Amino acid sequence: MAAGQELAADVDGQWLFRHGDLVLGPVSGSVIVEKLKTGELTPESPLALAGERDFHPMREVEPFKVHVALSEARARVDAAVLVEREKNHKRVLVLGGVAAGLALVLGTVGIYVARNAAVHGWFGEDEFEGIEMEAPVIRVAQARQDDEELFDYPTQGAVKPGTPAGTKPTGASTSKPTAVASASRTDDRRPPRPAGSVGTDPDGMEVAQQFDQSAINRVVAGNKSTLFKCFKEEAERSPGLAAKIPLEFVIGNDGKVNKLWVDNPQFKKGPLYECLLTELQKWPFRAYEGERATVGLSFNIGKRG
């Protein structure tokens, strides 16, 4: 006889069972077993053979002891599986949280690195191929007679980086200089003094220049790639663009750029001008006293000729 048939034979007969104060049945032993499996009855449910008056917990009734043991074993296995599932679920949540946190951190670091790389040129300037910048020209701000007038570049009497104090200006042009207005300067044709020197105006008063030319050069070198982006955007707006674009800007005594000229009739105003001015105003020049400094830059975009 098979094991299942032996177990069924063990519980043959008609049985009564209690639910609270209710006595139900009679039912066959196999029905009692089925109710135990489904949880309708428990090992503590009172049972009695039909016709008897004494009820005993199912676990104490001999024919059902094996079925109670099997039911409890299944319950333990189910509980263990449930616990393991909960642990796995928590592990997945924790790992997901860690992964999300790492992604957020890496994303933030990536944005920071990319931003600083763009500002400081950490990754080089290959992406700006076709854009060249000539050495900056730094001098004392002078009167510019007409903002709308274009002049040759570089300007007359400009002081190139590294020029020793007292050296006469070179590269004079027959055109009028393009520097920015300074109330104390009315003679555009008079060459400026080298940065850091002390000179005498026609009225006999000494005027000192206190801006630091080398510090200005460092800021220009460290931030020029921000202007390259402006030119790249303009090249995308104007396919085939090839031009020389000189510009001048004034560094106020507070270290902020407060005036810009783009000496190219195509770009005196518009998106390129606005982009250049916005970026220049972010450059971290030092505050200083004395006469204001003008910086001249010239860019070659694309191939000309």
Side-chain angles (χ1 to χ4, degrees):
M1 183 181 295
Q5 292 176 330
E6 290 178 356
L7 289 175
D10 287 342
V11 297
D12 280 345
Q14 297 296 308
W15 297 85
L16 303 175
F17 61 94
R18 280 182 181 171
H19 258 314
D21 294 332
L22 295 176
V23 176
L24 303 174
V27 296
S28 67
S30 59
V31 172
I32 297 293
V33 172
E34 190 62 30
K35 289 181 179 295
L36 177 64
K37 290 179 180 178
T38 60
E40 185 177 346
L41 295 177
T42 71
E44 305 303 325
S45 297
L47 298 181
L49 276 170
E52 294 187 1
R53 301 180 62 179
D54 294 333
F55 284 81
H56 302 279
M58 190 186 305
R59 69 170 61 255
E60 297 177 6
V61 179
E62 192 63 33
F64 294 99
K65 285 184 177 179
V66 173
H67 298 285
V68 168
L70 291 173
S71 176
E72 290 178 336
R74 282 194 297 268
R76 287 193 294 270
V77 171
D78 290 344
V81 170
L82 183 61
V83 169
E84 191 62 28
R85 284 178 180 172
E86 287 294 325
K87 288 181 180 178
N88 289 338
H89 182 63
K90 289 180 180 178
R91 268 201 229 68
V92 169
L93 290 178
V94 170
L95 291 175
V98 171
L102 286 174
L104 179 61
V105 170
L106 291 175
T108 303
V109 171
I111 292 172
Y112 176 81
V113 171
R115 177 183 177 278
N116 283 277
V119 171
H120 299 294
W122 293 349
F123 300 153
E125 297 169 1
D126 292 343
E127 65 172 307
F128 301 117
E129 184 178 355
I131 304 175
E132 298 178 355
M133 187 187 84
E134 298 179 5
V137 177
I138 304 170
R139 66 175 200 164
V140 174
Q142 293 180 319
R144 184 179 179 116
Q145 291 181 340
D146 184 358
D147 285 356
E148 297 299 320
E149 186 178 353
L150 298 179
F151 304 102
D152 290 341
Y153 191 89
T155 59
Q156 179 178 0
V159 179
K160 289 185 177 284
T163 303
T167 302
K168 292 184 179 180
T170 59
S173 168
T174 57
S175 301
K176 297 177 182 178
T178 61
V180 175
S182 172
S184 63
R185 297 277 179 181
T186 56
D187 184 1
D188 284 349
R189 300 181 182 277
R190 180 173 52 196
R193 295 179 299 279
S197 68
V198 177
T200 303
D201 276 350
D203 56 8
M205 297 181 62
E206 289 189 349
V207 180
Q209 298 172 200
Q210 298 185 30
F211 58 81
D212 187 336
Q213 181 174 317
S214 61
I216 292 174
N217 279 324
R218 286 194 296 271
V219 174
V220 172
N223 294 272
K224 63 182 181 180
S225 62
T226 62
L227 302 188
F228 285 16
K229 293 189 299 182
C230 296
F231 292 118
K232 183 179 179 182
E233 291 173 359
E234 183 61 37
E236 291 173 354
R237 286 190 294 268
S238 306
L241 174 66
K244 182 172 185 177
I245 305 178
L247 59 90
E248 284 186 280
F249 60 89
V250 178
I251 305 172
N253 291 119
D254 59 358
K256 302 295 183 182
V257 172
N258 54 33
K259 188 66 177 176
L260 168 67
W261 290 272
V262 177
D263 282 350
N264 183 304
Q266 185 178 353
F267 305 113
K268 291 175 71 65
K269 294 295 179 184
L272 176 59
Y273 177 91
E274 297 299 332
C275 181
L276 292 171
L277 181 58
T278 297
E279 294 302 329
L280 286 169
Q281 288 176 336
K282 298 176 186 177
W283 286 14
F285 293 107
R286 297 177 184 173
Y288 62 98
E289 297 179 357
E291 295 187 82
R292 292 176 300 165
T294 295
V295 180
L297 301 177
S298 185
F299 295 85
N300 293 306
I301 314 300
K303 295 181 180 180
R304 297 182 299 139

